Amino acid sequence: MSTLEIKDLHVSIETEQGNKEILKGVSLTIKTGETHAIMGPNGSGKSTLASTIAGHPRYTVTSGSITLDGADVLEMSVDERARAGMFLAMQYPVEVPGVSMTNFLRTAKTAIDGEAPKLRTWTKDVKSAMEKLKIDAEFASRNVNEGFSGGEKKRVEILQLELFKPKFAILDETDSGLDVDALKVVSEGVNRAQEENEMGTLLITHYTRILRYIKPDFVHVFVDGKIAEQGGAELADRLEDEGYDRFLNVPA
Amino acid sequence: MTDTATHVTGEKARLGAPSISGFTEEGENLSPLNEAEATAPLGGDASKAHSHGGGAGIPDSSRAGRKTSYNVEDFPALTGREEDFRFTPLKRMGGLHKNELAGTAPELALSGAKAATLETVAMTDARVGSAGIPEDRISANAWKHAAEAKVLTIPANSSGEQVTLTYTGTSTEAAASHLVVVAEANSESVVVIDHVGSVVLAQNIEIDVREGAKLTVISLQAWADDAIHASSHLAKVRKDGHLKHIAVTYGGDLVRLTPSAHFDGEGGEVELFGLYFADAGQHLEHRLFVDHATENCKSNVLYKGALQGKDAHTVWVGDVLIRKEAKGTNSYEANRNLVLTEGARADSVPNLEIETGLIDGAGHASTTGRFDDEHLFYLMSRGIDEKTARRLVVRGFLNEIVQQIRVPEIEERLAETIERELAATDS
Ligand SMILES: Nc1ncnc2c1ncn2[C@@H]1O[C@H](COP(=O)(O)OP(=O)(O)O)[C@@H](O)[C@H]1O
Ligand SMILES: [Mg+2]
């Protein structure tokens, strides 16, 4: 079993108006096999948390810590974090010119595993993972995310999740922009990865509908850069009925 | 963040060259480079460069109206305002456009020949001028000052010939050279023209693709850092001839290559490929011309360039002219650039002029994209280290041209060159 531990995390970004603190003391512990949902209004800092865990250079950690089984994640470069077993499915996956999906997937898999995958089984794995996610085979020869629709990009993120088999996955609004069918396909992919790899999941979402397909063990309500409340799956149902107003109206 | 506006004029690429997001068309403005040298006010040629078929050609910018002559005096002295020199920094041309070119031309060596022959002939030989006529002042100046010509002949009906011609420059005194490559009827061959060392050189290479011949010309501009090279490749493709021309440019301070292909009989086919990699301070310019003057000919153009470093500058101009008599033409041209660092500039101008509606197809595309921190973050977040990520992108991008070469030694050498160029960005 592995543990990803975030302790009193403070994060700021450089803006034109100077430094701006976005995360104001976030603490969260995720163990492999667990699913944590983070829910919160737009602008509350959910993507900031996700990107900070992945190591995006835009975000500066001013205090607090992130550790993976005791190892200091903040000391690791972006690629080292991925090789240590963390994966971020991005809210807005980036289009990469010149690099075919096939080449990209193989290169990443090789980097993560520390050795090249056996070509024959790898090709089969990729093919079958694509089929299950209803991704057209033709996408393999296209450049990474290039010209993919929003929904296609999200599927391709989950494809990577299934192929790279991380210990911890952070899914940043993977559900946004998906129709019901696509949402089901993508959720099944996440559930498969969880069953097969004992993956720990941090599921970031604005809406509750994905929680019908991916059952959270814990729900954290994120407001203004902090966790405002936590509970079990029932907390999500309450949010569904009440929205975030209750949290937003709390006087500071 | 990446600019996501994609501007691809004309049809979508049919070359298997997917467009790159964030790519925009550039290059309609006069380069500031020549402003000092120019005296005339902006106007005439330079102000109306881009014409898009449909018979709406502008007379003074149409490629059909461009002067051609063996006589340098027929071309007025250059100011830098001319349509075809507006991006070229004339001050860095080493006088190739105006001076006497009395320096020693680089040594030329032939290797790998089985049936092919290389002769040295006088400029009065009948084969000189058989495939081309200068289309700009530098080419005409080179013609005037070339002391002799070399003629490479691929004999009729021979096949499998693969030869390398190596120019080795040892002097930076302005010089001129002339080469004629004759692919005789129904021959099939590959000619590699390698350029190494230091030169200040104006060069004409005539390429005569005779009836039914299939010729691949691979021209490598692999010069030392200080080289200045202006080169006109003047090709004539006769009935059912096939020319595949690949320009690879990464060496030199300034390289200006103007491949120009003229169809001279039905059923001809021309493929023009190019790959360039510009570093800090380099000016690498490719201006090509495909002249569809006869019926039922095909042309396909794809140039790809990578740029890095301060003041790396590349220019690509693709003139494709489909004349009234060129019914049944099928033509496509595309240029794609990848800017790897700040401070580099890629100009890209496709000019497609169509004078007849009776064609099979014609299209053009031009894109310039940037490899930025977001691309890097995405790849690294998948476990790929920074160096590998950069190589992945650049190799992937250029590979489409590299794989056209099909000469293993050259492909290897190019792969190594690309690695070396990339190593320069790492540090
Ligand atoms: N690059 C940036 N420049 C300025 N403000 C930013 C930037 N990135 C995020 N922010 C601000 O930080 C806050 C949190 O953003 P984000 O983490 O994207 O929230 P969420 O994902 O919950 O919608 C917002 O107020 C947002 O406007
Ligand atoms: Mg977000």
Side-chain angles (χ1 to χ4, degrees):
Chain A
M1 197 188 62
S2 286
T3 308
L4 179 65
E5 196 168 11
I6 300 160
K7 268 197 207 152
D8 195 27
L9 191 70
H10 290 254
V11 172
S12 21
I13 55 162
E14 200 72 58
T15 70
E16 269 148 38
Q17 291 80 34
N19 258 332
K20 182 178 166 194
E21 181 165 69
I22 297 176
L23 299 188
K24 303 168 179 172
V26 177
S27 296
L28 187 66
T29 302
I30 312 170
K31 298 197 164 80
T32 39
E34 295 177 352
T35 300
H36 293 245
I38 290 195
M39 305 190 62
N42 283 329
S44 57
K46 303 183 299 295
S47 291
T48 301
L49 177 64
S51 300
T52 303
I53 298 172
H56 196 292
R58 194 192 301 134
Y59 302 93
T60 312
V61 176
T62 52
S63 68
S65 67
I66 304 175
T67 55
L68 177 62
D69 294 329
D72 188 353
V73 170
L74 296 176
E75 280 297 302
M76 300 178 194
S77 61
V78 175
D79 50 315
E80 281 168 352
R81 296 177 197 208
R83 294 199 294 270
M86 291 190 287
F87 179 85
L88 169 62
M90 296 189 194
Q91 185 173 0
Y92 303 108
V94 181
E95 305 194 3
V96 187
V99 184
S100 71
M101 284 296 301
T102 305
N103 194 4
F104 163 67
L105 292 173
R106 195 178 347 104
T107 306
K109 182 67 177 171
T110 304
I112 289 165
D113 289 2
E115 59 175 355
K118 296 222 165 28
L119 206 58
R120 178 125 32 101
T121 49
W122 174 246
T123 311
K124 248 186 11 215
D125 290 351
V126 173
K127 232 181 116 192
S128 91
M130 285 177 71
E131 272 166 22
K132 285 186 208 144
L133 288 164
K134 300 199 163 57
I135 299 170
D136 199 298
E138 170 258 339
F139 276 67
S141 57
R142 289 174 61 180
N143 288 339
V144 177
N145 291 324
E146 198 171 86
F148 296 8
S149 72
E152 287 161 350
K153 285 180 184 167
K154 297 298 177 73
R155 286 174 205 237
V156 165
E157 294 290 283
I158 302 308
L159 172 70
Q160 294 171 51
L161 175 74
E162 288 205 66
L163 291 170
F164 301 159
K165 307 187 192 306
K167 284 187 202 148
F168 290 99
I170 302 151
L171 311 178
D172 190 2
E173 299 215 21
T174 298
D175 53 337
S176 64
L178 295 183
D179 60 31
V180 182
D181 293 332
L183 183 64
K184 261 177 83 173
V185 166
V186 160
S187 301
E188 283 164 14
V190 174
N191 289 332
R192 271 196 303 273
Q194 239 168 353
E195 276 159 35
E196 284 169 28
N197 316 318
E198 261 275 297
M199 181 176 81
T201 308
L202 187 62
L203 182 73
I204 295 174
T205 180
H206 184 74
Y207 303 104
T208 51
R209 60 178 195 149
I210 193 172
L211 303 181
R212 266 177 254 154
Y213 304 101
I214 303 173
K215 291 285 171 217
D217 302 303
F218 305 93
V219 174
H220 312 266
V221 182
F222 213 72
V223 180
D224 191 25
K226 277 198 294 257
I227 291 171
E229 189 168 335
Q230 28 198 339
E234 75 290 343
L235 181 55
D237 299 333
R238 256 184 86 193
L239 285 171
E240 166 111 346
D241 298 336
E242 300 170 11
Y244 297 110
D245 288 356
R246 180 162 62 90
F247 301 99
L248 297 173
N249 293 333
V250 176
Chain B
M1 285 296 290
T2 315
D3 177 5
T4 49
T6 301
H7 182 117
V8 179
T9 48
E11 293 170 43
K12 264 263 173 205
R14 292 166 306 177
L15 301 165
S19 69
I20 289 178
S21 81
F23 278 23
T24 52
E25 193 176 13
E26 286 180 50
E28 284 304 286
N29 303 319
L30 178 74
S31 164
L33 298 165
N34 288 321
E35 261 159 23
E37 190 139 346
T39 48
L42 180 59
D45 296 5
S47 63
K48 347 173 201 168
H50 208 90
S51 84
H52 283 270
I58 303 153
D60 65 357
S61 74
S62 169
R63 209 40 222 250
R66 189 82 59 82
K67 174 164 293 305
T68 59
S69 171
Y70 294 111
N71 186 359
V72 67
E73 278 75 36
D74 289 342
F75 295 90
L78 296 181
T79 63
R81 292 286 190 197
E82 297 76 8
E83 168 52 31
D84 55 338
F85 282 93
R86 65 190 175 117
F87 293 112
T88 316
L90 292 176
K91 285 199 222 76
R92 286 165 58 185
M93 290 293 321
L96 292 174
H97 60 300
K98 56 184 180 190
N99 295 350
E100 208 180 310
L101 308 175
T104 317
E107 283 290 318
L108 181 62
L110 171 71
S111 66
K114 293 195 283 279
T117 57
L118 184 66
E119 302 160 68
T120 303
V121 303
M123 285 297 284
T124 49
D125 188 279
R127 288 165 292 184
V128 174
S130 64
I133 174 165
E135 295 167 12
D136 67 38
R137 192 169 209 278
I138 300 180
S139 171
N141 203 32
W143 206 290
K144 175 178 175 182
H145 289 107
E148 58 187 30
K150 303 280 184 182
V151 179
L152 177 78
T153 305
I154 313 292
N157 303 311
S158 65
S159 77
E161 191 75 7
Q162 184 187 313
V163 304
T164 301
L165 289 168
T166 305
Y167 282 95
T168 306
T170 52
S171 153
T172 50
E173 257 181 276
S177 84
H178 198 105
L179 170 69
V180 185
V181 176
V182 182
E184 289 188 341
N186 303 312
S187 62
E188 195 188 329
S189 60
V190 176
V191 175
V192 176
I193 307 175
D194 197 0
H195 299 90
V196 295
S198 292
V199 289
V200 175
L201 177 67
Q203 178 186 43
N204 284 307
I205 298 180
E206 292 184 74
I207 300 167
D208 190 351
V209 183
R210 301 261 174 92
E211 262 190 50
K214 259 188 106 159
L215 172 66
T216 298
V217 171
I218 303 166
S219 183
L220 298 157
Q221 287 65 242
W223 300 112
D225 290 345
D226 60 348
I228 300 169
H229 183 208
S231 183
S232 287
H233 292 202
L234 304 163
K236 185 178 274 186
V237 179
R238 301 175 198 260
K239 188 170 179 303
D240 298 322
H242 183 144
L243 171 66
K244 177 169 166 178
H245 183 275
I246 307 174
V248 176
T249 306
Y250 52 85
D253 176 66
L254 183 149
V255 174
R256 180 188 146 100
L257 190 69
T258 51
S260 120
H262 301 265
F263 289 104
D264 191 54
E266 282 191 48
E269 185 172 348
V270 165
E271 296 173 280
L272 301 180
F273 295 108
L275 181 163
Y276 45 88
F277 202 129
D279 285 318
Q282 272 186 313
H283 177 97
L284 306 181
E285 178 166 348
H286 296 85
R287 285 182 168 266
L288 56 95
F289 178 32
V290 181
D291 186 2
H292 280 277
T294 53
E295 291 183 22
N296 302 322
C297 290
K298 247 171 99 170
S299 65
N300 184 11
V301 176
L302 178 63
Y303 271 64
K304 289 185 124 179
L307 298 82
Q308 65 182 16
K310 191 172 176 302
D311 298 327
H313 188 195
T314 65
V315 177
W316 180 87
V317 179
D319 291 337
V320 174
L321 172 62
I322 302 173
R323 293 180 196 260
K324 211 169 167 159
E325 48 274 45
K327 295 188 191 94
T329 290
N330 201 332
S331 162
Y332 194 78
E333 62 164 342
N335 172 229
R336 306 195 185 277
N337 296 297
L338 182 61
V339 179
L340 296 170
T341 64
E342 295 290 318
R345 172 187 163 132
D347 286 298
S348 177
V349 187
N351 288 315
L352 176 60
E353 293 179 77
I354 309 172
E355 295 176 345
T356 171
L358 303 172
I359 56 169
D360 277 9
H364 65 161
S366 157
T367 54
T368 296
R370 172 172 291 284
F371 181 63
D372 68 15
D373 292 347
E374 294 299 326
H375 297 126
L376 194 59
F377 175 70
Y378 189 82
L379 295 173
M380 288 178 73
S381 77
R382 271 54 176 149
I384 301 168
D385 66 85
E386 180 170 350
K387 277 188 188 180
T388 307
R390 211 170 266 283
R391 279 165 177 65
L392 196 63
V393 168
V394 176
R395 267 204 234 113
F397 178 73
L398 296 177
N399 190 42
E400 202 178 352
I401 304 297
V402 175
Q403 70 193 14
Q404 284 293 342
I405 290 174
R406 295 186 192 127
V407 178
E409 306 90 84
I410 307 244
E411 288 190 21
E412 252 163 61
R413 183 167 143 203
L414 261 184
E416 279 164 26
T417 302
I418 293 167
E419 290 302 314
R420 220 181 21 254
E421 301 276 0
L422 284 166
T425 1
D426 293 337
S427 54

